[in-house]
Amino acid sequence: MIEAINDGRIAAVTIDTTVFDSKQKNFRRTDFRSISQIRTRNTPILITDVIASEMMAHLEAEAADTQRALKTALRNNNLRWFRESPAGEHTALFIDKDPVEFAKLEFDDFIKAVGAEVIKVADTPDGLAELFRRYFAVQTPFAKKESRKQEFPDAAALLCLEEYAKAKGKLVICVAQDKAWKDFAAKSDHLVAVFPLTEALGIYSEAFKDADLADKIVELWLDGKEKDFEDAVRDAIVERLTYVDYDIDADCSVEFEAEPMDAQLKEILMGTLTNPVVLAADDETVTFSIEVDIKADFKAHFNFSVWDSVDRESVGMGSEYVDTTTDVPVHLTIVADRDVTNGIVFHEIEVSQKTFTVDFGYVDAFTVEEPDYD
């Protein structure tokens, strides 16, 4: 792949909806927008209109869901507290905003920021005929007869991209996790599938010899003499933990539901730092991603229940707050000056909002109370 980049044999780079979903459906994320680095390497960034529509639909659905949940919570809270909604409350909380318009504005801003081009699958020569030929022949990306109707958007996008690459006589790199994309690319002479996005960006950085820029910053970080930088990393991780957003894994003798309640950072485990992946670099700065484990205190509220086979319902068995201290990984995106002559000069430190899992081990639903000697 690096050789193909150096030889100018890459016609474009494109992304599938799975890339957007892996970035928590957030067009504003620094590591997502770092795809713009590819364009500065004289490689166009393409997004087919069907994939663009899918991404906007995913964001629209989530925005609408959060609006409904917030509206319901406000209504229930107002009823319970006999409270009148202040004038303009819905406007201030974006409850009256149009999710469709919001998704479109976010997408348009992303396209402008990264310099991407949206191409229409309808412009593909003989695309419709080839689409239905593959559909009835059950050829990639139509994998199974039972679910092939769901593959139409991907099929249209892939055929469009393949025709684009053929016309250029080059390759198109498809950043995609979807199996249909991988299977199609594996049989194509013009498409190459990679995932995740950091891998594609890392390949470009390696091809253009930017990887050592981040290595120098990490070396200084590990030396332990960059207090301002270390404090900023710690603050960013603490801010991420304040969202108290994590999945809970636990063993228990009865059924349970658990809700995360608190998360407090204890230590950043520097020995677990991964190798940095350069996402972008220009004359002044370098943007890279890196992972590190942290040790933190976590608290969750467990509600226990057992199934009553006679009444055919779950019967509550009480609840309990449970604490644990464990290690979890966090993913950081860092923007800093490439010149480290005077130490690390950083501009942005972003911690991924991706949900992680906290293992609470075995949780006893029936804790033994201390004996009463009175």
Side-chain angles (χ1 to χ4, degrees):
M1 187 78 71
I2 292 176
E3 183 179 347
I5 294 172
N6 289 331
D7 292 345
R9 290 188 284 118
I10 305 299
V13 173
T14 190
I15 57 174
D16 176 32
T17 312
T18 53
V19 180
F20 176 60
D21 290 347
S22 73
K23 302 302 179 183
Q24 287 73 61
K25 303 178 182 66
N26 185 351
F27 285 117
R28 304 188 186 194
R29 280 186 50 156
T30 302
D31 54 349
F32 192 24
R33 292 197 172 204
S34 292
I35 195 174
S36 61
Q37 178 68 14
I38 289 173
R39 184 174 53 83
T40 67
R41 306 302 193 185
N42 299 316
T43 304
I45 301 169
L46 302 180
I47 301 178
T48 62
D49 55 352
V50 293
I51 297 303
S53 296
E54 275 193 344
M55 290 192 289
M56 286 185 282
H58 287 196
L59 179 56
E60 173 197 335
E62 289 218 345
D65 285 345
T66 57
Q67 280 182 324
R68 282 192 293 270
L70 181 56
K71 189 181 295 185
T72 299
L74 281 173
R75 183 177 64 248
N76 291 341
N77 185 68
N78 291 342
L79 289 172
R80 179 62 62 192
W81 289 87
F82 310 108
R83 170 182 177 268
E84 293 291 334
S85 294
E89 182 177 58
H90 279 202
T91 300
L93 295 174
F94 295 165
I95 292 179
D96 295 329
K97 289 281 188 179
D98 182 1
V100 176
E101 181 182 356
F102 166 69
K104 179 68 165 56
L105 288 172
E106 289 291 296
F107 176 77
D108 288 347
D109 184 65
F110 171 76
I111 291 297
K112 182 179 179 180
V114 304
E117 176 188 356
V118 178
I119 59 175
K120 298 179 179 179
V121 299
D123 293 339
T124 307
D126 302 320
L128 190 60
E130 178 63 10
L131 186 69
F132 278 100
R133 186 193 71 76
R134 287 176 177 267
Y135 175 77
F136 287 111
V138 197
Q139 292 182 353
T140 55
F142 296 107
K144 299 178 181 178
K145 289 185 177 180
E146 297 81 10
S147 60
R148 56 181 172 164
K149 289 182 180 180
Q150 301 172 9
E151 302 293 344
F152 266 105
D154 286 338
L158 286 163
L159 291 173
C160 174
L161 293 165
E162 187 170 52
E163 286 300 319
Y164 178 94
K166 283 181 181 179
K168 299 287 185 180
K170 297 182 179 182
L171 300 171
V172 168
I173 298 175
C174 303
V175 188
Q177 187 179 27
D178 192 279
K179 186 176 184 299
W181 283 64
K182 292 179 179 179
D183 290 347
F184 189 96
K187 297 179 181 180
S188 172
D189 295 328
H190 300 279
L191 303 183
V192 179
V194 299
F195 192 85
L197 178 60
T198 50
E199 181 176 335
L201 296 174
I203 290 170
Y204 264 83
S205 294
E206 180 63 26
F208 287 89
K209 304 302 180 185
D210 289 332
D212 62 327
L213 298 174
D215 291 337
K216 293 176 183 177
I217 293 171
V218 174
E219 283 178 19
L220 289 175
W221 184 8
L222 287 169
D223 283 344
K225 298 177 181 179
E226 298 290 330
K227 187 176 185 308
D228 289 345
F229 178 74
E230 293 167 18
D231 288 346
V233 170
R234 186 178 184 86
D235 289 345
I237 294 173
V238 168
E239 182 180 357
R240 164 64 181 89
L241 293 179
T242 60
Y243 287 98
V244 197
D245 176 24
Y246 51 85
D247 294 328
I248 294 173
D249 188 21
D251 292 323
C252 188
S253 60
V254 297
E255 296 179 353
F256 68 88
E257 291 184 354
E259 180 184 2
M261 300 301 295
D262 193 24
Q264 299 291 331
L265 177 66
K266 290 180 67 70
E267 182 183 0
I268 300 173
L269 305 175
M270 296 300 294
T272 65
L273 272 176
T274 63
N275 292 326
V277 175
V278 174
L279 307 178
D282 54 32
D283 292 340
E284 301 295 332
T285 64
V286 58
T287 302
F288 63 94
S289 66
I290 195 166
E291 288 190 3
V292 66
D293 288 353
I294 63 169
K295 184 181 294 293
D297 294 329
F298 299 96
K299 175 180 283 188
H301 186 240
F302 284 74
N303 286 300
F304 307 106
S305 63
V306 294
W307 179 252
D308 186 336
S309 59
V310 177
D311 293 333
R312 302 189 62 80
E313 64 179 4
S314 290
V315 178
M317 300 295 293
S319 64
E320 186 167 346
Y321 287 94
V322 181
D323 299 296
T324 190
T325 300
T326 190
D327 303 347
V328 295
V330 294
H331 180 98
L332 299 95
T333 301
I334 298 169
V335 183
D337 281 0
R338 57 192 295 160
D339 183 359
V340 294
T341 305
N342 298 315
I344 302 173
V345 180
F346 58 93
H347 301 277
E348 184 175 353
I349 299 173
E350 181 181 89
V351 181
S352 171
Q353 295 299 315
K354 182 178 180 181
T355 300
F356 51 82
T357 299
V358 176
D359 186 357
F360 278 77
Y362 181 79
V363 176
D364 191 351
F366 309 104
T367 55
V368 179
E369 295 183 1
E370 293 291 330
D372 187 354
Y373 296 106
D374 291 340

